[in-house]
Amino acid sequence: MDYVNFIIAIAGGYLLGAIPFGLVLTKLAGLGDIREIGSGNIGATNVLRTGRKDLALLTLIGDAGKGGLAVLLARYAFGEQAALLAGVAAFAGHVWPIWLGFKGGKGVATYIGTLLALNWMVCLLFCATWLIVAVLRRYSSLAALSAAAAAPVFAYIWSGVALSAACAILSLILYYRHKDNILRLLDGTETKIGGAKAANGETS
């Protein structure tokens, strides 16, 4: 039955998404627990604070790749609806990983990887929006928030209601995880790209 397939897709997507690449890679490299460095976030931006650009890049690839892989496996096994559910579940797994007491990353890389597998054109537009806002305003967080706000619209135009709804869910979660960044943007204390590092300013 479809609902059994959907449950499998959701569970598999969540477990893939919950893999904490930043934590695993830094521990394997002998750098200790990434949660005790910088902001304590497990994303690529905080991994970069260890001084290991290679590990930060691998974390970025891993965090994006797990979202994409969840979508591709679910699509192959159960179809497009299951792929959408798996993508949302993978994103949720990254943000709220069961292995880390449900305290994970902010989800930008996983959002991008999930979108790339679901619809490459929507992913391209998401990334273009991020880049334009980042260049013009020099706030990584604002770029991510702008891209997330636009993603459901792009998805509706290029795919339809189902993908738009999935993007809306991802964007709402991303906004929730960036609530501190939003407050800093509003009061003018958010760190700009290339500026002094803020302990909690990353968006990955």
Side-chain angles (χ1 to χ4, degrees):
M1 292 189 218
D2 283 346
Y3 74 86
V4 175
N5 295 341
F6 291 162
I7 291 172
I8 294 172
I10 291 169
Y14 175 84
L15 292 174
L16 269 174
I19 299 172
F21 281 102
L23 177 64
V24 172
L25 289 169
T26 50
K27 282 201 170 186
L28 288 176
L31 299 175
D33 192 331
I34 189 63
R35 293 170 296 178
E36 298 175 358
I37 298 171
S39 68
N41 195 281
I42 64 170
T45 304
N46 200 40
V47 173
L48 189 59
R49 292 194 176 100
T50 66
R52 291 288 300 271
K53 293 181 180 179
D54 55 339
L55 294 182
L57 178 60
L58 288 173
T59 299
L60 185 67
I61 293 170
D63 285 346
K66 63 188 180 184
L69 182 60
V71 169
L72 294 175
L73 290 175
R75 178 183 288 143
Y76 177 79
F78 306 123
E80 195 62 31
Q81 286 183 312
L84 286 169
L85 293 172
V88 173
F91 184 82
H94 176 75
V95 173
W96 298 300
I98 189 172
W99 328 114
L100 305 181
F102 303 101
K103 296 178 181 178
K106 294 190 175 181
V108 177
T110 306
Y111 199 145
I112 291 172
T114 299
L115 270 185
L116 182 60
L118 287 171
N119 188 301
W120 67 269
M121 178 58 73
V122 177
C123 180
L124 181 62
L125 292 169
F126 180 102
C127 293
T129 302
W130 188 98
L131 183 61
I132 290 169
V133 175
V135 169
L136 293 178
R137 299 302 302 274
R138 294 181 55 219
Y139 289 110
S140 178
S141 57
L142 182 61
L145 292 166
S146 300
V153 179
F154 295 148
Y156 182 80
I157 294 171
W158 287 94
S159 179
V161 174
L163 182 56
S164 181
C167 286
I169 294 171
L170 299 185
S171 294
L172 286 172
I173 296 173
L174 187 143
Y175 264 70
Y176 171 75
R177 287 293 285 121
H178 283 76
K179 59 186 183 297
D180 293 335
N181 300 86
I182 293 171
L183 291 175
R184 288 194 295 272
L185 285 166
L186 291 173
D187 65 21
T189 59
E190 180 72 326
T191 304
K192 288 191 173 185
I193 296 171
K197 302 296 184 182
N200 295 302
E202 72 265 12
T203 61
S204 59

